Amino acid sequence: MEESNTRSKNLKAQPIRPIELLNYQEGSVVSRTLINEKGGTVTLFAFDEDEELSEHTAPYDALVQLLEGEAKITIAGAAHHVKEGEMIIMPAGEPHAVKAGEKFKMILTMIKT
């Protein structure tokens, strides 16, 4: 955990290409937390093809920004196909799930206050 925080600090105050900070891993969902504060988090994700996060809820709104590929994001039973360069807000308290029909990378931003 401490190593991750050190790596994130090294990213501060410099331009970065988030798509290059995380590699795909076969049969996995990989994540890297960039900001983890009381007020919120920013996390990168790389989903391999056919991987998913099963339906769950969160107590805060969450903003998903697609960096690469395409994802199926289901919110309260409605499926949305979100493509590279697009974003979607998952409302607090609404059940949602994320599925990769193909490899994709995203940034998840959650503001807690």
Side-chain angles (χ1 to χ4, degrees):
M1 179 104 158
E2 187 174 328
E3 179 183 47
S4 175
N5 290 338
T6 301
R7 283 185 286 162
S8 293
K9 286 179 185 175
N10 294 336
L11 299 174
K12 292 183 179 181
Q14 65 178 322
I16 59 172
R17 292 186 42 83
I19 201 166
E20 297 172 357
L21 294 177
L22 203 56
N23 294 317
Y24 294 108
Q25 290 184 16
E26 189 174 335
S28 298
V29 176
V30 182
S31 67
R32 179 174 179 181
T33 301
L34 300 179
I35 298 172
N36 186 10
E37 300 292 337
K38 274 186 162 183
T41 60
V42 176
T43 308
L44 292 173
F45 287 88
F47 284 69
D48 193 23
E49 185 176 358
D50 295 325
E51 292 301 311
E52 65 185 308
L53 293 179
S54 60
E55 187 174 73
H56 61 282
T57 60
Y60 309 102
D61 286 347
L63 173 67
V64 172
Q65 298 170 276
L66 266 281
L67 300 173
E68 180 174 77
E70 183 176 327
K72 177 183 172 188
I73 299 179
T74 305
I75 302 170
H80 305 275
H81 293 279
V82 185
K83 299 175 185 173
E84 181 177 321
E86 296 180 335
M87 61 186 185
I88 190 166
I89 298 171
M90 299 183 297
E94 294 287 334
H96 55 270
V98 180
K99 171 95 170 133
E102 62 182 55
K103 292 181 179 185
F104 77 91
K105 293 181 181 181
M106 71 179 209
I107 296 176
L108 176 69
T109 304
M110 198 162 10
I111 307 300
K112 297 179 180 179
T113 57

